[in-house]
């Protein structure tokens, strides 16, 4: 028989420190994970990604091993708890936002569905960065998550290669990803053996030129200058060179038909360099050019995540030259090949300025290009990547994103999970579409009441958490309105800010809302993204103004959750009433936060963008709050360059009042003039993401939503319909589609 929990725990559970207990439970869990089987088979999918935002693993793994409850009851007898360990566990800092969280959900589903696959990426020592607010500004600090024992275990797999004239040694680390059933898959992360943490002195600054010491220090190091860009490029090279070495080692006897044995899904273009590197490796092996290229094309598949022009990667060809000069003739060869297939200059890999278009490389030399939501894929086909779609109609396909319900329902909202189980049985845990059965209870008063109680309890849990973390006092009887996601102008946190200002003004003019509102934000801004930081600053200043105003504060509060990450999301999402998904239509590829909220019984306030479109179709217009201009209208505005924000400012007194507030004496007394002026000028004179275009409709729709909240029965009916229709967004569905239509494993 297997060893039991108590055979592993040798400490005195009454007296040991949290650190000792954590280490022992971690070792035990790693050891017990050995009972999970690795998937076997002829063909493997390699999911290559610069980010894996996996979140804490302890509770997740204990649950997947089926020992959570047993361990908890042992610990409780000694006055301890899993929560103590959970709070102590550092969250792996290996991702940035939706793209990285998607990769994590996908690994969970690949393991659960028993598909032979693995993740390939980098082990960043200090991750993205830790956000700390000082003087109402974001400051960045290293996130030293590896200081405590982690889930990453060193392996014997090492490779040595050159980056330019720098010799580097790369070692592979492995994190087991446990599926819900009997399988596990590896997440393999590469680290630079000679990495030097001491290179980072204060904040997140370090010598960007010392590649042999810095390559795996940070995810997305500041690339606002040439040195930073070169470092980021070298980092990508290090990742794909290491990952490919591992893949080639695994299939060294099958290089001639590698495409039968391996499929490499690249998560956006960060790993796209692997295409040239595989071509290079196959040629070196003596395979002819034509055949090698076929193998490359059949092996790679590409996921596009963005249509924001500034986010489409283009690297100067001399960067390739500086890491490995033999790549340059290969790139030219691939470019000639692309030219032979199309004479449309928009599909060139290398442009006249000598920039290598990584998306072009990825589309020409992979067999699949997918968007991540129906609308996004349509926009790729008809607008952004039209020239490629005309050339390769069969390569394009859609894979609407999904989320793992293990983490985003079962783990983060155990009470709701249990209650759903009592209503419709436990089948939904295996097959998420079973949630549909909840629809029959939508009008049932008892069910509505219970779901409302669970929401209330989750609000209390969030309030207690934020009290511990940030000493914030929250009114749990208020409406919880939440916008948590990376800070970007296209996501339009600034529009939500203007809503808050409008509400302050309305309350001051005597219009008291029927119920208090708490507006939550959680968001990191890229360290060099000035305007994003200005928006954070304005929100932090406004929240102080509100707190200090005895007229406004009983009715409105802004809570900015510091250092937003997966752990915080797990507290915030189950407590939410209003899910803010307010990107400028056409700009959010999919969103996955929107799916998590819906599943946890929040109603969406959103534009018809990304997966909001599919949510809206599933739940029906009576169960969602849609506002704003359509993607067609927005795309036309960009085409005709006819959007003028000033017009909206001048035509609407409330819009004008909200914008002007940003630079009032009251704001400037607490805030910084440079930040606030810049944001104000941006909104009036540029407003690239058309905040003012949708502001009026947004304010009216949100106010209507708050009125509707007062009809608790009608609201809860909508809530139940939302949960019932969320099954489509299980990442098990997404991964099954990837496998059927792109990977063909088993
Ligand atoms: C889900 C998730 C995201 C993505 O949120 P969007 O609203 O889709 O941008 C980002 N960060 C974390 C921590 C998440 O859990």
């Amino acid at each position: 028989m297997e060893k039991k929990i108590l055979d592993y725990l040798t400490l005195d559970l009454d007296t040991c420190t949290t650190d000792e207990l954590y280490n022992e439970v971690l070792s035990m869990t790693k050891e017990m994970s050995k009972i999970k089987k690795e998937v076997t088979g002829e063909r493997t999918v390699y999911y290559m990604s610069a980010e894996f935002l996996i979140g804490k693993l302890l509770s997740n793994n204990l649950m997947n091993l089926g020992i959570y409850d047993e361990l908890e009851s042992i610990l409780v007898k000694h006055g301890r708890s899993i929560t103590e360990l959970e709070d102590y566990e550092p969250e792996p800092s290996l991702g940035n936002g939706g793209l990285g969280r998607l990769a994590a959900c996908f690994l969970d589903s690949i393991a659960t569905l028993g598909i032979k696959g693995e993740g390939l990426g980098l082990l960043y020592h200090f991750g993205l960065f830790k956000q700390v607010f000082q003087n109402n500004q974001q400051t960045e600090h290293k996130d030293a998550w590896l200081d405590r024992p982690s889930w990453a275990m060193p392996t014997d797999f090492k490779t040595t290669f050159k980056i330019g004239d720098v010799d580097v040694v790369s070692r592979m680390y492995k994190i087991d990803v446990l599926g819900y059933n009997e399988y596990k898959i590896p997440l393999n992360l590469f680290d630079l053996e000679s990495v030097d943490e001491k290179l980072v002195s204060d904040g997140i600054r370090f010598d960007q030129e010392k590649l042999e010491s810095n390559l795996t220090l940070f995810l997305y190091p500041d690339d606002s200058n040439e040195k930073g860009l070169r470092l980021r490029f070298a980092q990508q090279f290090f990742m794909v060179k290491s990952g490919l070495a591992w893949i080639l080692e695994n299939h060294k006897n099958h290089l001639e038909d590698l495409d039968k044995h391996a499929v490499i899904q690249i998560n956006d273009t960060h790993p796209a360099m692997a295409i040239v590197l595989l071509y290079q490796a196959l040629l070196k092996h003596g395979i002819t050019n034509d055949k090698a290229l076929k193998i490359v094309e059949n092996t790679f598949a590409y996921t596009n995540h963005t249509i924001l022009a500034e986010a489409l990667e283009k690297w100067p060809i001399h960067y390739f030259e500086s890491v490995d000069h033999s790549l340059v003739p290969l790139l030219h060869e691939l470019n000639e090949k692309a030219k032979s297939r199309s004479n449309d200059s928009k599909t060139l890999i290398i442009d006249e300025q000598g920039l290598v278009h990584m998306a072009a490389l990825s589309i020409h030399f992979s067999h699949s290009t997918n968007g991540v939501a129906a609308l996004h894929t349509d926009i790729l086909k008809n607008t952004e990547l039209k020239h490629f779609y005309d050339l390769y109609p069969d390569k394009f396909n859609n894979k609407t994103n999904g989320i793992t319900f293990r983490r985003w329902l079962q783990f983060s909202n155990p009470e709701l999970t249990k209650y759903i189980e009592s209503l419709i049985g436990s089948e939904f845990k295996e097959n998420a579409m079973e949630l549909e059965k909840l629809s029959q209870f939508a009008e049932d008063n008892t069910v509505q009441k219970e779901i409302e109680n669970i929401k209330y309890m989750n609000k209390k849990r969030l309030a207690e958490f934020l009290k511990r973390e940030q000493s914030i006092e929250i009114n749990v009887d208020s409406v919880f309105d939440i916008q948590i996601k990376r800070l970007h102008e296209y996501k339009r946190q600034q529009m939500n800010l203007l809503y808050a200002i409008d509400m302050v003004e309305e309350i001051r003019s005597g219009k008291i809302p029927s119920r208090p509102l708490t507006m939550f934000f959680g968001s990191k801004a890229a360290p060099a993204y000035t305007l994003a930081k200005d928006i954070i600053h304005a929100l932090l200043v406004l929240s102080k103004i509100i707190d200090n105003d005895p007229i406004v504060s009983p009715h409105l509060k802004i809570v900015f959750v510091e250092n937003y990450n997966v752990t915080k999301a797990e507290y915030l999402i189950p407590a939410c009433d209003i899910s803010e998904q307010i990107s400028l239509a056409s700009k959010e590829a999919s969103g996955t936060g929107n799916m998590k909220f819906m599943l946890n019984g929040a109603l969406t306030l959103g534009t018809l963008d990304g997966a909001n479109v599919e949510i809206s179709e599933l739940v029906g217009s009576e169960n969602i709050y849609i506002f704003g201009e359509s993607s067609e209208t927005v795309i036309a505005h960009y085409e005709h360059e006819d959007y003028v924000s000033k017009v909206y400012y001048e035509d609407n007194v409330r819009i004008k009042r909200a914008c002007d507030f940003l630079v009032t004496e009251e704001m400037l007394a607490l805030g910084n003039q440079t930040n606030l002026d810049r944001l104000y000028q941006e909104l009036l004179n540029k407003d690239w993401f058309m905040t003012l275009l949708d502001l009026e409709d947004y304010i009216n729709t949100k106010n209507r939503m708050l009125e509707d909240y007062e009809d608790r029965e009608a609201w809860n009916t909508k809530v139940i319909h939302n949960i019932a229709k969320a099954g489509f967004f299980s990442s098990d569905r997404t991964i099954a589609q990837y496998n059927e239509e792109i990977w063909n494993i088993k």
Side-chain angles (χ1 to χ4, degrees):
M1 239 338 264
E2 298 297 333
K3 285 215 292 182
K4 288 268 191 275
I5 293 178
L6 283 174
D7 300 330
Y8 288 99
L9 299 182
T10 58
L11 290 163
D12 181 341
L13 295 179
D14 293 299
T15 59
C16 67
T17 65
T18 303
D19 181 66
E20 289 166 339
L21 185 61
Y22 175 72
N23 292 347
E24 196 161 275
V25 171
L26 185 76
S27 310
M28 174 190 84
T29 312
K30 282 181 186 170
E31 199 53 38
M32 288 177 117
S33 300
K34 290 183 179 158
I35 65 160
K36 294 258 178 186
K37 289 185 284 196
E38 286 184 5
V39 189
T40 54
E42 279 299 288
R43 192 169 159 79
T44 308
V45 56
Y46 295 94
Y47 197 85
M48 264 198 188
S49 176
E51 304 180 33
F52 288 93
L53 193 51
I54 53 183
K56 295 186 183 185
L57 291 177
L58 182 63
S59 296
N60 194 72
N61 287 353
L62 291 170
M63 281 180 188
N64 283 346
L65 287 168
I67 55 171
Y68 185 96
D69 292 335
E70 195 187 338
L71 178 65
E72 176 71 355
S73 69
I74 291 170
L75 293 181
V76 165
K77 278 187 204 134
H78 297 273
R80 317 300 287 258
S81 72
I82 293 179
T83 310
E84 174 189 343
L85 301 177
E86 218 168 68
D87 286 346
Y88 188 75
E89 180 184 9
E91 177 174 322
S93 190
L94 296 171
N96 161 46
L99 173 150
R101 185 52 232 175
L102 185 77
C105 286
F106 280 5
L107 293 184
D108 182 282
S109 286
I110 290 171
T112 296
L113 298 183
I115 293 170
K116 187 165 189 308
E118 50 186 79
L120 294 175
L122 291 180
L123 188 71
Y124 307 100
H125 287 238
F126 298 138
L128 187 65
F129 62 83
K130 195 157 89 194
Q131 178 191 55
V132 176
F133 296 140
Q134 281 167 359
N135 302 321
N136 302 316
Q137 304 277 5
Q138 165 178 297
T139 59
E140 299 94 22
H141 305 265
K142 62 187 185 194
D143 189 349
W145 67 282
L146 283 168
D147 281 2
R148 286 183 195 160
S150 86
W151 297 93
M153 299 172 285
T155 72
D156 295 335
F157 185 74
K158 273 203 305 185
T159 48
T160 304
F161 51 90
K162 276 188 179 300
I163 301 182
D165 47 21
V166 181
D167 285 298
V168 295
V169 182
S170 161
R171 181 186 292 277
M172 192 169 88
Y173 287 72
K174 182 174 87 150
I175 297 178
D176 279 327
V177 177
L178 308 188
Y180 184 61
N181 57 23
E182 72 260 44
Y183 293 113
K184 66 180 171 199
I185 62 163
L187 166 55
N188 289 321
L189 300 172
F190 296 92
D191 193 11
L192 177 72
E193 284 274 90
S194 52
V195 72
D196 182 7
E197 296 191 353
K198 289 193 293 296
L199 210 59
V200 185
S201 45
D202 84 296
I204 53 170
R205 276 202 304 231
F206 64 97
D207 181 347
Q208 293 185 309
E209 283 175 307
K210 273 191 137 181
L211 293 187
E212 69 280 11
S213 314
N214 69 19
L215 273 176
T216 50
L217 286 175
F218 287 100
L219 166 66
Y220 302 143
D222 182 0
D223 64 348
S224 56
N225 58 57
E226 169 82 12
K227 275 191 210 167
L229 282 166
R230 282 180 177 274
L231 165 58
R232 212 184 261 211
F233 185 81
Q235 212 178 32
Q236 292 186 358
F237 180 78
F238 179 81
M239 171 173 74
V240 296
K241 188 88 183 166
S242 308
L244 215 53
W246 171 242
I247 294 172
L248 294 173
E249 169 68 20
N250 286 341
H251 304 284
K252 58 184 171 215
N253 301 323
H254 294 287
L255 296 187
E256 311 265 334
D257 62 345
L258 182 68
D259 49 329
K260 301 259 178 322
H261 298 269
V263 53
I264 305 173
Q265 186 75 46
I266 55 173
N267 198 20
D268 217 311
T269 59
H270 314 118
M273 237 186 284
I275 290 172
V276 201
L277 289 178
L278 178 60
Y279 186 47
Q280 180 189 46
L282 294 176
L283 293 180
K284 250 187 209 150
H285 187 69
I287 299 174
T288 61
N289 296 47
D290 281 353
K291 187 169 175 211
L293 211 50
K294 268 248 148 53
I295 297 173
V296 168
E297 206 166 318
N298 289 336
T299 302
F300 281 97
Y302 159 56
T303 302
N304 175 286
H305 281 273
T306 183
I307 59 163
L308 295 185
E310 69 270 26
L312 287 175
E313 290 189 299
K314 300 180 206 74
W315 294 113
I317 195 152
H318 62 266
Y319 283 21
F320 287 85
E321 171 103 46
S322 68
V323 295
D324 177 356
H325 57 80
S326 72
L327 294 176
V328 175
L330 297 180
L331 278 166
H332 283 294
E333 191 189 324
L334 295 178
N335 194 37
E336 289 309 311
K337 190 82 191 170
K339 276 189 197 163
S340 74
R341 294 179 187 177
S342 161
N343 47 26
D344 187 340
S345 67
K346 295 202 172 74
T347 65
L348 283 179
I349 294 174
I350 307 172
D351 68 18
E352 313 85 75
Q353 297 150 54
L355 293 172
V356 180
H357 291 231
M358 302 310 279
L361 176 69
S362 306
I363 300 168
H364 282 298
F365 299 108
S366 67
H367 64 283
S368 163
T369 293
N370 76 281
V372 290
L375 175 69
H376 171 58
T377 302
D378 282 344
I379 293 174
L380 293 181
K381 287 184 186 176
N382 301 324
T383 313
E384 295 303 312
L385 299 177
K386 182 175 188 313
H387 308 273
F388 290 99
Y389 178 59
D390 291 344
L391 185 59
Y392 304 118
D394 297 339
K395 287 192 184 187
F396 281 74
N397 63 94
N398 176 246
K399 295 287 166 285
T400 298
N401 282 168
I403 55 172
T404 167
F405 285 22
R406 265 80 60 188
R407 185 172 288 266
W408 297 111
L409 179 64
Q410 289 176 233
F411 168 69
S412 59
N413 202 340
E415 295 77 16
L416 182 60
T417 306
K418 220 154 134 200
Y419 186 57
I420 293 173
E421 207 169 341
S422 76
L423 294 172
I424 62 168
S426 59
E427 186 71 355
F428 72 95
K429 293 181 181 176
E430 299 287 328
N431 173 11
M433 293 308 285
E434 286 284 307
L435 286 174
E436 288 255 23
K437 290 186 177 157
L438 285 174
S439 296
Q440 61 187 298
F441 301 103
E443 319 268 339
D444 184 322
N445 279 139
T446 322
V447 176
Q448 289 176 357
K449 270 264 140 36
E450 188 51 31
I451 291 209
E452 188 173 314
N453 286 342
I454 292 168
K455 181 68 73 185
Y456 185 69
M457 216 200 53
N458 285 322
K459 286 182 178 185
K460 284 216 287 214
R461 179 163 59 202
L462 171 63
E464 283 158 17
F465 174 72
L466 289 175
K467 176 126 204 223
R468 285 204 298 281
E469 288 270 315
Q470 281 177 242
S471 311
I472 296 175
E473 236 19 277
I474 290 163
N475 177 357
V476 291
D477 294 313
S478 62
V479 178
F480 280 26
D481 167 81
I482 306 188
Q483 186 173 20
I484 43 175
K485 45 184 79 242
R486 283 307 301 267
L487 214 135
H488 201 290
E489 288 164 89
Y490 87 79
K491 291 178 180 279
R492 298 198 294 190
Q493 281 93 350
Q494 70 276 20
M495 191 161 72
N496 204 350
L497 161 71
L498 292 172
Y499 175 88
I501 294 174
D502 182 70
M503 188 160 172
V504 168
E505 296 280 26
E506 290 294 290
I507 294 170
R508 284 179 177 173
S509 75
K511 297 217 186 71
I512 303 299
S514 14
R515 194 186 295 254
L517 177 67
T518 307
M519 299 175 65
F520 295 84
F521 291 85
S523 228
K524 292 182 188 176
Y529 189 174
T530 333
L531 214 74
K533 290 179 149 180
D534 295 340
I535 295 168
I536 292 180
H537 178 65
L539 279 163
L540 289 170
V541 170
L542 182 65
S543 84
K544 298 268 158 68
I545 288 178
I546 294 171
D547 284 349
N548 293 334
D549 183 334
I551 306 287
V552 179
S553 59
H555 310 289
L556 179 63
K557 183 168 182 72
I558 291 179
V559 174
F560 210 128
V561 177
E562 203 170 39
N563 197 41
Y564 174 57
N565 58 17
V566 175
T567 308
K568 309 242 161 129
E570 288 162 357
Y571 280 97
L572 284 154
I573 290 168
C576 179
D577 297 307
I578 299 178
S579 157
E580 297 273 353
Q581 308 300 336
I582 61 178
S583 56
L584 175 64
S586 81
K587 295 297 178 189
E588 184 74 87
S590 164
T592 50
N594 46 4
M595 303 167 186
K596 300 168 197 164
F597 281 110
M598 166 195 199
L599 176 63
N600 283 276
L603 303 191
T604 304
L605 170 56
T607 49
L608 280 180
D609 199 16
N612 295 353
V613 177
E614 285 154 273
I615 295 178
S616 169
E617 282 163 4
L618 282 162
V619 301
S621 57
E622 67 281 16
N623 295 311
I624 190 166
Y625 291 82
I626 297 291
F627 71 94
E629 294 290 359
S630 68
S631 55
E632 290 92 340
T633 306
V634 169
I635 290 169
H637 279 313
Y638 280 114
E639 221 170 83
H640 305 136
E641 299 178 14
D642 61 359
Y643 170 69
V644 183
S645 64
K646 244 327 182 351
V647 171
Y648 293 82
Y649 169 83
E650 269 155 10
D651 282 2
N652 183 313
V653 289
R654 269 166 85 166
I655 292 180
K656 182 170 188 304
R657 182 178 70 176
C659 293
D660 289 347
F661 189 91
L662 289 170
V663 287
T664 49
E665 287 304 316
E666 193 177 9
M667 284 291 281
L668 293 171
L670 278 178
N672 175 296
Q673 177 142 22
T674 311
N675 295 122
L676 296 171
D677 261 344
R678 189 165 43 211
L679 176 56
Y680 178 69
Q681 294 302 336
E682 173 70 29
L683 284 169
L684 265 57
N685 299 319
K686 187 166 175 214
D687 192 22
W688 184 246
F689 293 101
M690 306 183 191
T691 315
L692 303 192
L693 173 73
D694 286 341
L695 182 57
E696 185 180 2
D697 197 5
Y698 176 57
I699 293 175
N700 292 335
T701 309
K702 190 150 156 177
N703 286 341
R704 177 161 58 83
M705 204 170 177
L706 291 172
E707 284 161 28
D708 286 1
Y709 186 90
E710 295 310 311
D711 183 345
R712 300 305 301 137
E713 281 179 25
W715 181 277
N716 285 320
T717 298
K718 295 180 209 280
V719 165
I720 295 170
H721 281 305
N722 270 267
I723 302 170
K725 295 292 182 184
F728 175 73
F729 298 109
S730 162
S731 49
D732 293 349
R733 185 270 309 153
T734 314
I735 286 302
Q737 287 182 328
Y738 271 92
N739 196 30
E740 263 162 48
E741 294 159 30
I742 306 175
W743 304 339
N744 306 309
I745 314 276
K746 273 203 284 194

